[in-house]
Amino acid sequence: MAVQRFRSIEEMNAAPRREPRGPDFERFLRHCARYWAIAPKNYPRGVFKFRTMEEAQRARDER
Amino acid sequence: MDRDEILRVLSAFEASGLEYVLIGATAMGFHGLVRATEDVDLFIRATPENVERLRDAFRHAYDGDPNIDEITAADLLGDYPAVRYYPPTGDLYFDVLTRLGEAARFETVEAEIKEIAGTRVSVATPAALYRLKKGTVRPQDRVDAAALRERFSLKDEV
């Protein structure tokens, strides 16, 4: 059933969700591709080194 | 994240014999928890030989990018256990870790083998991902931990 109808948002939220088709990782890749299309990034190139993961995350957030 | 690119890299990991385990959103994707991400996070076993395998795999996947020479065992086994590699394609980047804090490293992360397009991929189990994410302060990790906990009915160990 491609279309489901609900009388309220509560009814919609309570409805069981259909399991998406296809392998999980393929869905993940499609999702990332859509994200990239909506919000393209401009990355630097090369290798960057960090003493901790927190330092690495800060560098990412500051970019 | 380009499908062909990530499959090419994962295939190169397997061909090089790299000892690694995927963590982060890419690993979650293998378990059906799908959210967008810009990076591929992985732990590698911290040995000079394994760092060389990583370099070989990246060179194979990225046509000998000279920047790869800057990924060194001296760093990853020494003062810089986190190395970020931005390949020339510009579509994604890799966070390569040899340890995270005091406790987490390749040997402590429980992994399972998944297969994608004929390539075997080492992926952290949902429980291992949950353990990695639940104690951090990063908001996205908290969200991920909650999603893992709910989807896989995970419980905190006492």
Side-chain angles (χ1 to χ4, degrees):
Chain A
M1 186 168 50
V3 176
Q4 292 176 284
R5 292 187 301 169
F6 304 98
R7 295 180 193 281
S8 68
I9 192 74
E10 291 77 16
E11 190 182 333
M12 178 183 269
N13 287 338
R17 296 175 97 175
R18 289 169 47 189
E19 283 301 309
R21 285 177 295 179
D24 293 332
F25 195 62
E26 296 285 359
R27 286 197 295 117
F28 164 75
L29 292 172
R30 285 199 300 273
H31 186 67
C32 289
R34 284 194 293 269
Y35 169 77
W36 183 267
I38 293 166
K41 306 289 177 186
N42 185 18
Y43 294 134
R45 299 288 182 272
V47 174
F48 298 80
K49 302 166 186 184
F50 306 97
R51 292 176 193 275
T52 64
M53 198 58 205
E54 290 73 28
E55 197 179 306
Q57 282 168 352
R58 265 199 310 277
R60 174 170 53 196
D61 294 342
E62 286 165 6
R63 209 185 52 238
Chain B
M1 190 177 295
D2 179 77
R3 180 182 187 278
D4 291 344
E5 180 176 355
I6 187 66
L7 294 181
R8 192 170 70 243
V9 173
L10 293 173
S11 173
F13 284 173
E14 184 181 27
S16 72
L18 178 68
E19 293 181 276
Y20 76 99
V21 56
L22 290 183
I23 58 172
T26 311
M28 289 176 59
F30 271 103
H31 294 303
L33 289 172
V34 171
R35 73 162 170 86
T37 186
E38 303 167 27
D39 63 345
V40 176
D41 300 321
L42 63 149
F43 272 115
I44 65 166
R45 187 187 291 281
T47 65
E49 299 77 18
N50 206 41
V51 174
E52 195 51 45
R53 291 183 197 114
L54 176 76
R55 288 154 50 103
D56 284 346
F58 278 151
R59 284 191 193 105
H60 185 80
Y62 291 110
D63 201 22
D65 175 16
N67 288 318
I68 294 164
D69 294 344
E70 294 175 36
I71 302 172
T72 68
D75 286 332
L76 278 164
L77 277 53
D79 288 341
Y80 296 92
V83 166
R84 180 166 292 155
Y85 171 49
Y86 292 92
T89 49
D91 281 351
L92 77 170
Y93 60 90
F94 298 86
D95 277 348
V96 179
L97 306 171
T98 48
R99 60 183 186 275
L100 188 58
E102 294 302 312
R105 58 188 192 282
F106 171 81
E107 290 85 352
T108 66
V109 179
E110 184 187 34
E112 60 189 67
I113 299 297
K114 300 278 193 177
E115 193 166 316
I116 179 80
T119 296
R120 288 161 55 83
V121 183
S122 173
V123 181
T125 63
L129 289 169
Y130 177 65
R131 280 192 290 271
L132 285 170
K133 286 175 172 288
K134 70 174 180 177
T136 73
V137 294
R138 188 171 165 240
Q140 184 63 63
D141 285 338
R142 299 275 176 119
V143 173
D144 289 346
L148 285 158
R149 186 185 169 110
E150 184 184 335
R151 172 69 72 92
F152 297 99
S153 304
L154 299 172
K155 293 184 171 43
D156 286 318
E157 296 121 358
V158 251

